[in-house]
Amino acid sequence: KQEVTQIPAALSVPEGENLVLNCSFTDSAIYNLQWFRQDPGKGLTSLLLIQSSQREQTSGRLNASLDKSSGRSTLYIAASQPGDSATYLCAVTTYSGGGADGLTFGKGTHLIIQP
Amino acid sequence: EPEVTQTPSHQVTQMGQEVILRCVPISNHLYFYWYRQILGQKVEFLVSFYNNEISEKSEIFDDQFSVERPDGSNFTLKIRSTKLEDSAMYFCASSVLPKNIQYFGAGTRLSVL
């Protein structure tokens, strides 16, 4: 059974710092990996998706990498801003051939950027 | 920008009552999902739906749950006889191949009293 772990559980840094969030998964047979942002009491916003054949994806100040063989992904946030404060979730899907595969989520990293 | 819409935003019900949570997926998407998040816990997959049938379901999705796409736009989750432990945030999501990025709605908070 796939398990996703995110480290650290919480992180508080001053504004402007670059930071790295870590995600690991136990079964390397994934189809894709998604990083999400969740604000308190709100839904999930998709940030980046990495296909299993890819090594990294970039969107603005965000860069996500994937090392499928070792079961790891990182989300790099450059020049952090107070508006980046949120919980960041990592999730993977395993391709079963059916297409509509459910995501397995980690517990998330609760990020606070201090002004 | 297209988005997944969920109604209601908050549903309060008595234990044993039936509830229906509603979702309008993104219009050109073909795969639909329900997830739940109990307060303070992980987001958990419940069920996926494609071509008018269940594609995959988790062990959480027992006989008390059912899903339906009653028309061309709505996707519903029914809980037949709610329990206290069904209290959670329920998220609907939709996606389309090949990238299969799942887009989530804002969620329905279900409170079972």
Side-chain angles (χ1 to χ4, degrees):
Chain A
K1 181 185 172 188
Q2 182 74 268
E3 296 284 342
V4 178
T5 303
Q6 291 187 246
I7 295 173
L11 184 62
S12 180
V13 301
E15 180 178 4
E17 282 202 6
N18 302 324
L19 51 100
V20 174
L21 308 182
N22 296 290
C23 171
S24 61
F25 45 94
T26 54
D27 184 349
S28 62
I30 64 167
Y31 182 63
N32 61 39
L33 182 146
Q34 266 185 271
W35 282 94
F36 293 88
R37 169 188 174 133
Q38 185 175 29
D39 293 283
K42 301 287 181 63
L44 281 65
T45 301
S46 180
L47 298 172
L48 289 164
L49 177 140
I50 311 178
Q51 301 285 2
S52 62
S53 58
Q54 297 175 317
R55 298 284 295 187
E56 65 177 329
Q57 280 287 325
T58 298
S59 176
R61 293 183 293 109
L62 306 179
N63 176 275
S65 67
L66 173 64
D67 184 342
K68 187 181 160 189
S69 60
S70 68
R72 295 176 189 273
S73 176
T74 60
L75 179 67
Y76 176 82
I77 303 176
S80 57
Q81 302 170 358
D84 294 331
S85 298
T87 296
Y88 289 80
L89 302 175
C90 170
V92 298
T93 186
T94 306
Y95 184 57
S96 65
D101 299 303
L103 288 162
T104 301
F105 282 84
K107 287 198 76 172
T109 293
H110 181 54
L111 177 64
I112 297 174
I113 307 298
Q114 305 152 14
Chain B
E1 185 173 321
E3 60 180 18
V4 176
T5 305
Q6 290 187 243
T7 55
S9 57
H10 189 193
Q11 174 89 49
V12 182
T13 190
Q14 296 290 326
M15 191 169 55
Q17 295 296 304
E18 174 184 287
V19 294
I20 297 176
L21 309 183
R22 303 181 191 279
C23 170
V24 178
I26 294 173
S27 61
N28 66 327
H29 284 189
L30 300 177
Y31 301 97
F32 314 115
Y33 312 82
W34 283 102
Y35 294 83
R36 79 173 185 190
Q37 186 177 31
I38 295 171
L39 190 63
Q41 297 188 24
K42 290 185 182 185
V43 177
E44 300 172 291
F45 169 71
L46 294 178
V47 66
S48 60
F49 193 86
Y50 169 68
N51 200 25
N52 284 319
E53 62 183 25
I54 289 174
S55 182
E56 182 187 5
K57 61 183 180 179
S58 72
E59 60 273 13
I60 302 169
F61 193 86
D62 61 22
D63 292 344
Q64 292 297 314
F65 292 91
S66 62
V67 289
E68 192 177 34
R69 188 153 163 82
D71 53 42
S73 60
N74 289 286
F75 179 51
T76 62
L77 174 69
K78 181 193 292 186
I79 309 175
R80 287 191 184 81
S81 177
T82 51
K83 309 183 189 77
L84 295 175
E85 54 265 36
D86 293 327
S87 294
M89 191 75 135
Y90 288 81
F91 293 108
C92 173
S94 67
S95 69
V96 65
L97 291 178
K99 285 194 172 182
N100 214 26
I101 299 172
Q102 293 190 27
Y103 293 93
F104 281 69
T108 292
R109 180 167 299 283
L110 177 64
S111 299
V112 182
L113 306 178

